[in-house]
Amino acid sequence: MQREMEQRVALAKQGSGDDIEFIFKSFKSSIEACAYKLRTPYFDFEDAVQEGNIGLFKAILSYSPENGARFSTYAKKCILNNIITAHNSSQSQKHQILNTAKSLDEEDFQKNPEIDFLVKEQNKEFIDIARHKLSKFEFLVFSLYTMQYSYKEIAQMTKKDEKSINNAVQRIYKKLRK
């Protein structure tokens, strides 16, 4: 199992959407368990899960089997560190205004489950279209870009220069507008 996971991590680093999806499904319960333990009124479960997902993506990009750690151990540590960092940041004084602001999810702004379902389906459809239209590298850049990483950060993670990332983003825009 460990060998298979390391192979999938290597393929995910190269932009394999199927392998990225497999890894995220494999760690979903670990991320949710960690997020559940660290939730607070000012750091809700969904935010914690999102931070855990970011931590897992960072683990995929930075994992090196030569360091001697199993990927599962390394990934769980990255997930936990990312959630804890976000949790601690959410508790800081600079977030006091946000922490005391009225939530859009409260009574005045009830969500419509039908609209939520349709939006999720449209998002899945868009990601499927992107996966088919884009190269592996472009899909990796697309994923990181939609997670709001800067060109510089994406360049560092993919070991490419910023100009290559900029060119990839321009190609992505062109391909997805068609």
Side-chain angles (χ1 to χ4, degrees):
M1 181 69 181
Q2 178 182 345
R3 182 168 166 80
E4 176 192 2
M5 184 59 79
E6 286 186 7
Q7 289 171 339
R8 287 191 177 261
V9 169
L11 293 170
K13 277 185 179 182
Q14 297 171 3
S16 170
D18 291 337
D19 292 301
I20 292 171
E21 190 174 335
F22 174 84
I23 294 168
F24 272 83
K25 284 182 181 176
S26 298
F27 283 89
K28 182 179 181 191
S29 61
S30 295
I31 291 170
E32 289 177 349
C34 195
Y36 184 78
K37 291 176 186 173
L38 292 171
R39 74 195 188 293
T40 67
Y42 305 121
F43 187 64
D44 66 9
F45 177 75
E46 289 83 14
D47 291 339
V49 168
Q50 186 63 32
E51 291 298 331
N53 286 334
I54 292 169
L56 178 57
F57 201 77
K58 288 178 181 177
I60 292 169
L61 294 175
S62 63
Y63 177 69
S64 178
E66 293 83 31
N67 291 338
R70 294 175 56 178
F71 177 73
S72 61
T73 304
Y74 180 72
K76 287 177 183 175
K77 187 67 174 168
C78 289
I79 291 165
L80 180 62
N81 286 346
N82 217 61
I83 294 174
I84 288 173
T85 300
H87 175 270
N88 291 343
S89 176
S90 74
Q91 304 302 311
S92 71
Q93 286 289 3
K94 71 179 184 178
H95 295 292
Q96 185 174 10
I97 293 173
L98 290 175
N99 289 342
T100 57
K102 185 172 182 174
S103 169
L104 293 176
D105 293 332
E106 292 181 16
E107 301 134 22
D108 297 340
F109 306 102
Q110 289 296 318
K111 289 185 176 183
N112 184 332
E114 294 169 0
I115 292 175
D116 287 346
F117 176 77
L118 291 174
V119 168
K120 285 180 184 177
E121 289 300 310
Q122 287 175 339
N123 287 342
K124 286 180 189 176
E125 187 177 316
F126 181 73
I127 290 171
D128 287 340
I129 290 169
R131 186 174 284 132
H132 287 77
K133 285 188 172 186
L134 303 176
S135 70
K136 289 180 181 181
F137 176 70
E138 290 168 345
F139 187 73
L140 176 61
V141 172
F142 169 76
S143 300
L144 293 169
Y145 188 71
T146 57
M147 293 169 60
Q148 299 182 345
Y149 283 101
S150 69
Y151 284 15
K152 184 176 183 178
E153 292 170 321
I154 296 171
Q156 290 171 344
M157 290 181 210
T158 60
K159 297 184 179 26
K160 303 280 185 182
D161 59 31
E162 286 185 58
K163 182 66 176 164
S164 297
I165 303 306
N166 182 35
N167 291 341
V169 170
Q170 298 310 314
R171 288 192 308 273
I172 291 165
Y173 276 120
K174 287 177 185 175
K175 288 181 178 182
L176 294 180
R177 285 186 185 171
K178 292 180 182 178

